[in-house]
Amino acid sequence: VHKAALASLAPPSLSDLPAEAREAITEASLSGTGKLTFYGLDVYQSSLWVAPSFKHARFEDHSFALELQYLRGFSADAIAQRSLEEMQRLQALSDDQSTQWLSALRQALPPSVKKGDRLIGLHRPGAGVVFWNNGKRSGEVRDAEFARQFFAIWLSPKTSEPKLRRALLAKAL
């Protein structure tokens, strides 16, 4: 079953990125892909799209797109809550900031994702992050610090998933 599920995933293609993301990332190319497995359960297949000038040590200075193709369903609330927990693990957040960011993320994400859905986050340096679900814009968080902390979940050397980080940054390390 595991191999069959992976075989049904389409390989990432530049055409999977919304036009706005392709325009924002000059000469976008695939940096790497990796799968998140949590307690033996496949969660998502991820892909990182970057420009040739992308520097992983200063990822917050660059436009890039992180694509997650879900391998099971989740509610926006579950995704937002888990994302905030990971952000708090990387850096202490005030209660007010945590509340604001959780609310902003819940509003920017689709109500839920199901197996096979593609969620893409476009990092816009100094501006925030725009989200797409299956090619349609689902929302935006206009907060550069939020965007830095959000993408640090995958790109920070302090990530809880260092193997996934290395896989995503394969061509950028």
Side-chain angles (χ1 to χ4, degrees), residues 19-97:
E20 186 178 338
R22 289 192 306 269
E23 291 168 10
I25 308 169
T26 309
E27 300 177 35
S29 65
L30 184 63
S31 172
T33 64
K35 183 173 58 169
L36 177 66
T37 301
F38 190 71
Y39 289 116
L41 299 174
D42 293 336
V43 179
Y44 54 72
Q45 182 71 30
S46 55
S47 303
L48 180 65
W49 299 89
V50 301
S53 61
F54 180 83
K55 303 289 185 233
H56 68 87
R58 297 287 303 167
F59 68 85
E60 65 272 12
D61 294 339
H62 302 274
S63 291
F64 59 85
L66 178 69
E67 176 183 8
L68 306 179
Q69 184 175 10
Y70 281 85
L71 303 172
R72 59 184 55 257
F74 293 97
S75 68
D77 188 58
I79 295 170
Q81 189 63 47
R82 181 66 185 156
S83 297
L84 186 68
E85 289 168 8
E86 287 294 317
M87 293 163 77
Q88 291 170 323
R89 194 188 69 71
L90 292 168
Q91 178 178 322
L93 303 176
S94 70
D95 289 344
D96 285 345
Q97 191 172 45

